[in-house]
Amino acid sequence: MAEETFASVVVGESAGVQPLVRGPRPGDRLEDVDTPALILDLDAFEDNLRSMQALAESHGVALRPHGKAHKCPEIALQQVSLGARGICCQKVSEAVPFVQAGLSDILISNEVVGRQKLELLARLASRARLTVCVDHPDALRALSAALDAEHSAVDILVEVDIGQKRCGVQTHAQAIALADLAVRLPNVHFKGVQAYHGGVQHKRSFEDRQRAAKKGIKAAAGFVDALRRAGYACEIVSGGGTGSALFDAASGVFTELQPGSYAFMDGDYGAMDWGEVTDLRHALFLWASVMSTPAPGRAVLDVGLKSTTAESGLPQVAGHPALRCTALNDEHCIVTVDEPRASPALGEKLRLIPGHCDPTFNLHDEVVAVRKGVVEAVWPIAARGLSR
Amino acid sequence: MAEETFASVVVGESAGVQPLVRGPRPGDRLEDVDTPALILDLDAFEDNLRSMQALAESHGVALRPHGKAHKCPEIALQQVSLGARGICCQKVSEAVPFVQAGLSDILISNEVVGRQKLELLARLASRARLTVCVDHPDALRALSAALDAEHSAVDILVEVDIGQKRCGVQTHAQAIALADLAVRLPNVHFKGVQAYHGGVQHKRSFEDRQRAAKKGIKAAAGFVDALRRAGYACEIVSGGGTGSALFDAASGVFTELQPGSYAFMDGDYGAMDWGEVTDLRHALFLWASVMSTPAPGRAVLDVGLKSTTAESGLPQVAGHPALRCTALNDEHCIVTVDEPRASPALGEKLRLIPGHCDPTFNLHDEVVAVRKGVVEAVWPIAARGLSR
């Protein structure tokens, strides 16, 4: 076997070059796609994209979906083509493949600290319109200086803490001081605030989530008012996620929404009470094979913590209520069979609903886009692993 | 900016080509390595390799370290150069970069089910000596047939369940039936059994772990005896992990050990009671920066679930007892500061001990090998993401 051919086996698992064991291609039947694989049900996915776009438009707010959820430029391009203003990224290096793919308006929805990160940001800013969050005067000064070296500029949002207790300024005075500083520094333009509360997103009860979202909205409005009184109008108030989008869109405070998971609906979001107001559907699946049927009542799948994650709950077996994932090891998923007749056969393939979509995307090099059981496209998860 | 130069930013984060923001290189100070990065302390790592090799040799058993822990051929080559018989891989595709790097004796310590996987296995078997686990007659027949098409052959171990309740045959009769079948089929050579119990590895108390290991050893011995009485001598009895290695090595039952984490000592293993019998040290660290210091008592690091995992506990901050990781989000790690004087500065870099080394390696494209604060090598984690 020639070395070139042999080497292509590895590349071919993920990158779609002609491999010895070839990867999935358009026209293949899903049934023939090797496992583990990350599968996107295009019908459900496209419905989800349209639903959230329609929600934003019905309230006159912009949609800026989060690229950190999928790290896939093809998905971002579809979001923008349906009307999204741009996208968010959480890391500077994560933004690079999106800029390369033509995304021209990106909010780095996070603080950027460190010499190499700022140098990359300054270079990216000459290629796309970038907005960056800040919560500390030293970081803002370093950002301005790094941009100077590249003769580029960015818009900035002051990140304000509305209850998550993660990043963000704590007081109105701190927010105003950062706006003051931004006005005095070159290359950075104050545009408003980012107000995000991750904890609100995952409250399961509709009422609890609504109550928490309203509390966050009130806190965000307080920062916006204080800045206005100090002479700083917030052109942009950005925040919200899939769980709070409905409330944030209708708040009159937020001008743009940052949801990510809505396009995929992982197990965690699927378990939430959505009231009567959403029709988001599971669109993302982990494709798995039964690799062992060692005892009655137990099957073992060929997926584990290297294909999905467990911090938001174990995966669910789609369409098989009698099959329950009961453990996720590094490379194995244990399935407990509650009815003997439901036992899957050795080699049978099953669709799992991941507990948490963001870190699951980050484990895969490509997502296989499927419609009615046939592969329609294979999209690189180009920002996979880009965490700086 | 030329397109070629720009593209190299992305590649450069992981692959060491000349990037716009260049990756770490030998001779760099650790302090200058951008974050997140996976860091290997070579002094501790090499001591760990020697300790486990010495343990195996002192009991006359072979060491076959697990490649699934690190997915890094350079590390496997060091293990073999110190005396390891070969390595384990958990997946067929995972084995490819190890074979390419010259590893010539690999146990696929897992069942292999599915057409594409068997085709790849059959091709690999013409390049290296492979051993494969089986626990089902249909899988063994399919394996034999796939090897036939490539005119290759493998050794097989019958996987036996010694209490983990994952894969493996349940009864002595099933083990004997598989040995019987292997003898009748072409291209597969019965060599013995694999007996592994993951649950034993992580029991924190030395005594509990010893008791559980002895129970597993007794069960393994029962399978070996039953096979011998049926005419099948087990040349190989393979199993054990970092937590049970001491007991398995001394058992007189196991002929080879499969530990992986011993080389790195993650937080989970580090929290165990080792008695007086080990000097394994933490060698693997996640290098992280303070990206926000929003309030007294709280710092936020630029690492999260996309740089390490949480299923075996949150990371620990090495060398800073007053700093505790209290939450791990997708891209953020919240650090609670127990003493005001211990507050880290914005931009300060810290070493975290990952909770679980295997899935952490699988999130990174390279590991930065450091000695006394200076980068000595940057090794590709070549099997990262190869899960088929």
Side-chain angles (χ1 to χ4, degrees):
Chain A
M1 189 185 317
E3 193 62 37
E4 292 74 21
T5 315
F6 192 76
S8 70
V9 173
V10 181
V11 178
E13 178 166 324
S14 59
V17 303
Q18 180 74 30
L20 261 184
V21 175
R22 75 174 182 82
R25 289 184 201 157
D28 286 355
R29 297 184 318 154
L30 173 58
E31 196 52 45
D32 295 328
V33 172
D34 196 10
T35 58
L38 197 61
I39 300 295
L40 188 65
D41 177 330
L42 285 171
D43 287 334
F45 165 72
E46 291 165 3
D47 283 351
N48 292 346
L49 293 194
R50 283 188 290 264
S51 287
M52 189 60 79
Q53 186 64 42
L55 172 71
E57 289 177 7
S58 72
H59 291 283
V61 298
L63 182 63
R64 183 183 287 282
H66 218 305
K68 86 182 187 76
H70 52 69
K71 290 178 170 273
C72 174
E74 279 76 4
I75 291 176
L77 289 168
Q78 292 203 32
Q79 291 171 317
V80 168
S81 75
L82 287 173
R85 169 181 290 178
I87 62 164
C88 300
C89 286
Q90 200 77 314
K91 296 285 193 156
V92 180
S93 66
E94 185 178 76
V96 174
F98 289 103
V99 172
Q100 289 178 314
L103 278 297
S104 59
D105 184 341
I106 298 179
L107 164 61
I108 309 293
S109 56
N110 207 0
E111 284 64 33
V112 178
V113 172
R115 179 179 59 79
Q116 291 106 322
K117 293 174 177 71
L118 288 170
E119 287 175 4
L120 176 57
L121 178 72
R123 290 181 176 117
L124 274 183
S126 65
R127 299 256 310 200
R129 178 182 175 165
L130 295 188
T131 308
V132 183
C133 289
V134 291
D135 73 354
H136 195 289
D138 291 349
L140 181 53
R141 286 188 200 96
L143 171 63
S144 173
L147 290 162
D148 219 47
E150 292 288 329
H151 311 291
S152 54
V154 299
D155 292 339
I156 65 146
L157 302 181
V158 174
E159 183 163 28
V160 299
D161 187 349
I162 56 169
Q164 182 169 19
K165 300 191 186 307
R166 194 167 70 183
C167 303
V169 299
Q170 304 295 297
T171 68
H172 296 175
Q174 289 171 323
I176 293 165
L178 279 173
D180 284 341
L181 181 59
V183 167
R184 297 199 306 272
L185 289 173
N187 317 315
V188 291
H189 308 298
F190 173 81
K191 285 287 176 174
V193 300
Q194 172 170 284
Y196 177 76
H197 191 330
V200 174
Q201 308 307 320
H202 302 278
K203 290 189 183 294
R204 298 224 158 159
S205 136
F206 182 88
E207 287 72 24
D208 288 352
R209 203 161 65 253
Q210 183 173 41
R211 198 174 308 119
K214 286 190 170 174
K215 198 171 159 192
I217 290 163
K218 191 176 168 192
F223 279 101
V224 172
D225 287 346
L227 283 160
R228 188 180 52 229
R229 287 195 302 270
Y232 298 109
C234 289
E235 183 184 324
I236 296 171
V237 181
S238 189
T242 297
S244 67
L246 179 72
F247 317 118
D248 298 329
S251 66
V253 174
F254 285 95
T255 68
E256 67 177 32
L257 308 180
Q258 304 181 0
S261 306
Y262 75 98
F264 314 107
M265 289 302 286
D266 55 30
D268 184 52
Y269 272 117
M272 285 176 22
D273 170 17
W274 289 92
E276 297 296 315
V277 292
T278 187
D279 51 0
L280 300 176
R281 291 189 280 153
H282 292 300
L284 187 72
F285 301 94
L286 181 62
W287 191 226
S289 294
V290 177
M291 55 172 285
S292 179
T293 53
R298 183 165 87 241
V300 183
L301 308 183
D302 64 348
V303 299
L305 292 166
K306 294 175 184 172
S307 300
T308 188
T309 63
E311 74 285 339
S312 299
L314 294 174
Q316 302 159 36
V317 184
H320 291 270
L323 303 182
R324 285 179 298 121
C325 296
T326 49
L328 200 65
N329 303 155
D330 289 351
E331 290 91 2
H332 300 87
C333 179
I334 312 294
V335 169
T336 298
V337 183
D338 290 328
E339 290 176 29
R341 287 182 311 170
S343 294
L346 188 69
E348 186 171 338
K349 291 173 180 172
L350 297 169
R351 289 186 313 157
L352 304 188
I353 301 166
H356 189 182
C357 59
D358 302 43
T360 296
F361 266 104
N362 191 52
L363 289 166
H364 294 265
D365 289 302
E366 62 189 21
V367 58
V368 183
V370 173
R371 200 183 309 271
K372 295 177 180 39
V374 177
V375 176
E376 193 166 298
V378 180
W379 292 327
I381 302 170
R384 193 274 322 148
L386 298 179
S387 293
R388 288 179 187 155
Chain B
M1 192 185 315
E3 191 62 36
E4 291 73 20
T5 315
F6 194 76
S8 70
V9 174
V10 180
V11 178
E13 178 165 325
S14 59
V17 302
Q18 179 74 33
L20 261 183
V21 175
R22 75 174 183 81
R25 289 184 201 154
D28 286 354
R29 296 185 318 153
L30 172 59
E31 196 51 44
D32 295 328
V33 173
D34 197 10
T35 59
L38 197 61
I39 300 294
L40 189 64
D41 177 330
L42 284 171
D43 287 334
F45 164 72
E46 292 166 2
D47 283 351
N48 292 346
L49 293 193
R50 284 189 288 263
S51 287
M52 188 61 78
Q53 186 65 41
L55 173 71
E57 290 177 6
S58 72
H59 290 283
V61 299
L63 182 62
R64 182 183 287 281
H66 217 306
K68 86 182 187 75
H70 52 69
K71 289 178 171 273
C72 174
E74 278 76 4
I75 292 176
L77 289 169
Q78 292 204 32
Q79 292 172 316
V80 168
S81 76
L82 287 173
R85 169 181 291 176
I87 62 163
C88 299
C89 286
Q90 199 76 314
K91 297 284 193 157
V92 181
S93 65
E94 184 178 76
V96 173
F98 289 103
V99 172
Q100 289 177 314
L103 278 297
S104 58
D105 183 343
I106 298 179
L107 164 60
I108 309 291
S109 56
N110 207 359
E111 285 64 33
V112 178
V113 172
R115 178 179 59 78
Q116 289 106 321
K117 293 174 179 68
L118 289 170
E119 287 175 4
L120 176 57
L121 177 71
R123 290 180 176 118
L124 274 184
S126 66
R127 300 255 309 202
R129 177 182 175 166
L130 295 188
T131 307
V132 184
C133 289
V134 292
D135 73 355
H136 195 290
D138 290 350
L140 181 53
R141 286 188 199 95
L143 170 63
S144 172
L147 291 162
D148 219 47
E150 292 289 329
H151 311 292
S152 54
V154 299
D155 292 338
I156 65 146
L157 302 182
V158 174
E159 183 164 28
V160 300
D161 186 350
I162 57 169
Q164 183 170 20
K165 301 193 185 308
R166 193 167 71 182
C167 302
V169 299
Q170 304 295 297
T171 67
H172 296 175
Q174 288 172 324
I176 293 165
L178 279 174
D180 284 342
L181 181 60
V183 168
R184 298 199 306 272
L185 289 172
N187 317 316
V188 291
H189 308 299
F190 173 82
K191 286 287 175 174
V193 300
Q194 172 171 285
Y196 177 76
H197 192 331
V200 173
Q201 308 307 320
H202 303 278
K203 290 188 184 296
R204 298 225 158 157
S205 135
F206 183 88
E207 288 71 25
D208 288 353
R209 203 162 66 252
Q210 182 173 40
R211 198 175 306 118
K214 287 192 168 171
K215 199 172 159 193
I217 290 164
K218 191 176 168 192
F223 278 101
V224 172
D225 288 345
L227 282 160
R228 188 179 54 229
R229 288 194 303 271
Y232 299 109
C234 288
E235 183 184 323
I236 297 170
V237 180
S238 188
T242 297
S244 67
L246 178 73
F247 317 117
D248 297 331
S251 67
V253 174
F254 285 95
T255 68
E256 67 177 32
L257 307 181
Q258 303 181 0
S261 306
Y262 75 97
F264 314 108
M265 288 302 286
D266 55 30
D268 185 52
Y269 273 116
M272 286 177 19
D273 168 18
W274 290 92
E276 297 297 312
V277 293
T278 187
D279 51 1
L280 300 177
R281 291 190 281 152
H282 292 300
L284 186 74
F285 301 93
L286 182 62
W287 189 227
S289 292
V290 177
M291 55 173 284
S292 180
T293 52
R298 182 163 88 243
V300 183
L301 308 183
D302 65 348
V303 298
L305 293 164
K306 295 175 182 173
S307 299
T308 186
T309 64
E311 74 284 339
S312 300
L314 294 173
Q316 301 158 37
V317 184
H320 291 269
L323 304 182
R324 286 179 298 120
C325 296
T326 49
L328 199 65
N329 302 156
D330 288 354
E331 291 90 1
H332 300 87
C333 179
I334 313 294
V335 169
T336 298
V337 183
D338 290 328
E339 291 176 28
R341 286 183 310 169
S343 295
L346 188 68
E348 185 172 339
K349 292 174 179 171
L350 297 169
R351 291 186 311 157
L352 305 187
I353 300 166
H356 188 181
C357 59
D358 302 43
T360 296
F361 267 104
N362 190 52
L363 289 166
H364 295 264
D365 288 302
E366 62 190 22
V367 58
V368 182
V370 174
R371 198 184 310 271
K372 296 178 181 34
V374 177
V375 176
E376 192 165 300
V378 180
W379 292 328
I381 302 172
R384 194 275 322 149
L386 298 179
S387 294
R388 289 179 185 154

